[in-house]
Amino acid sequence: MPAPILVDLKFNSETVARILKTVFADRGSINLADPATRGRDLAGLDYALLWKPDADLFERAPDLRVIFSGGAGVDSFMTLPGLPEVPIVRFVDRSLTDRMSEWVVMQCLMHLRGQTEHDRLQRRREWGRQVAPEACELTVGVMGLGVLGQDAVTKLKVMGFNVIGWSRTAKAIDGIETFDAGALDVFLGKTDILVGLLPLTPETTGFYNLDLFSKLRQGGALGRPVFLNAGRGKSQVEADIVTAVERGVLGGASLDVFEVEPLPENSPLWALENVFITPHDAAASEENALFRHVETQIARFERGESLQYVVDRSLGY
Ligand code: NDP
Ligand code: OXD
């Protein structure tokens, strides 16, 4: 019997335990959330599935041959001591991509249609009709044109927005004007709603700051630009978001990710005007889909085929 899969997923532990019973039939799993595994020898294990793993995980499991991320992002373990030189496979799946695009489109529409004002009037039992701009009067600029960004731009386009995109390397996407890293300021100057779908790397840490917000287009159809981020919280400077909203550099924001999660109770972001907060659930990894993806990749690996969605370690994503 092959060695079991090591699982250290800081998700909902009951859900993970329940669904683990139904998968990996040929090899089983060692779920570190199970107290019975405490102190267990993890030598000789080939595969690990990780999301925010324990800091000493790689010391305890020295023989790993492939690491699977429990999400699309890998930042939760890239800097842990002892990370072995083995392939790291991200989670890429239709279910996750669709969820992210739903969030992006929903948030863009909420800002387009003045949802904050509708909520305010509803609470006052007031019948206050608004005539919103049309989607085509706004340019949504998506930062990050990877798996998630490319799906989001296509779906935003279907909703009628003018859509542009920005990424480290140049991309060609039908119907979408794209910009590479060198054309950042031109891209920002055309953008009314900025959507952040970047991974967390040294280059993207602290990237969404007051200087960047001040380069977005002012005076577009919404009046002031809006910032959305569902990439990683450490890419944004939250004090700058507060300042930008208070000074009118930004007209609003939608944030799914935060410098510190859960977002502390005393964060000023909670109470900011026209700012929507979601608790890092724009595109949660669904366990059945995640475990299926791991089974598929292990089967490929053991047949001698190439793994998919492998992280480029020199880039960090
Ligand atoms: P990909 O790796 O497919 O795409 C990343 C994109 O970001 C690429 O287009 C890449 O450019 C671009 N990029 C990276 N670094 C830079 C940089 N320094 N300057 C400009 N562009 C850069 O990732 P995904 O689309 O699958 O996921 C993106 C991120 O979304 C994840 O890393 C994760 O952090 C976050 N996420 C959040 C979720 C949530 O629920 N909030 C759920 C899932 C993911 P290039 O194409 O040139 O390489
Ligand atoms: C991910 C996430 O990276 O959920 O998949 O944040």
Side-chain angles (χ1 to χ4, degrees), residues 100 103-104 107 148 194-198 208 227-233 236 254-257 278 280 282-283:
M100 181 57 84
W103 186 90
V104 170
Q107 298 298 334
L148 302 181
L194 181 69
V195 178
L197 287 175
L198 291 171
Y208 305 116
F227 171 57
L228 273 57
N229 189 15
R232 280 292 180 267
Q236 69 201 16
S254 294
L255 304 172
D256 183 60
V257 289
T278 53
H280 198 149

Side-chain angles (χ1 to χ4, degrees), residues 302-317:
E302 297 195 339
R303 285 197 301 265
E305 294 169 19
S306 59
L307 289 162
Q308 297 171 296
Y309 321 122
V310 175
V311 170
D312 179 334
R313 296 175 70 125
S314 67
L315 296 174
Y317 67 94

Side-chain angles (χ1 to χ4, degrees), residues 51 71-75 90-93 96-97 99-100 103 143-151 166-171 179-181 184 196-205 207 229-233 235 256-257 261 278-285 310-311 315-317:
W51 182 252
V74 293
D75 48 287
R90 303 186 315 115
F91 182 38
V92 174
D93 188 72
L96 187 141
T97 305
R99 283 194 179 97
M100 181 57 84
W103 186 90
M143 301 194 107
L145 294 174
V147 174
L148 302 181
Q150 293 208 25
D151 193 69
W166 180 83
S167 53
R168 193 178 52 79
T169 56
K171 298 276 175 302
F179 300 84
D180 65 15
L184 175 62
L197 287 175
L198 291 171
L200 184 68
T201 66
E203 288 72 35
T204 63
T205 301
F207 180 68
N229 189 15
R232 280 292 180 267
S235 293
D256 183 60
V257 289
E261 295 181 3
T278 53
H280 198 149
D281 62 0
S285 300
V310 175
V311 170
L315 296 174
Y317 67 94

Side-chain angles (χ1 to χ4, degrees), residues 212-253:
L212 181 143
F213 299 141
S214 66
K215 293 176 179 164
L216 294 166
R217 175 157 67 186
Q218 288 287 339
L222 287 179
R224 287 167 299 167
V226 165
F227 171 57
L228 273 57
N229 189 15
R232 280 292 180 267
K234 287 191 169 58
S235 293
Q236 69 201 16
V237 179
E238 285 168 14
D240 284 9
I241 298 176
V242 175
T243 304
V245 172
E246 287 176 349
R247 290 190 192 160
V249 175
L250 289 176

Side-chain angles (χ1 to χ4, degrees), residues 135 137-141 161-164 190-194 217:
E137 295 173 54
L138 290 184
T139 297
V140 181
F161 290 103
N162 182 43
V163 186
I164 62 177
K190 290 174 177 251
T191 296
D192 300 305
I193 300 182
L194 181 69
R217 175 157 67 186

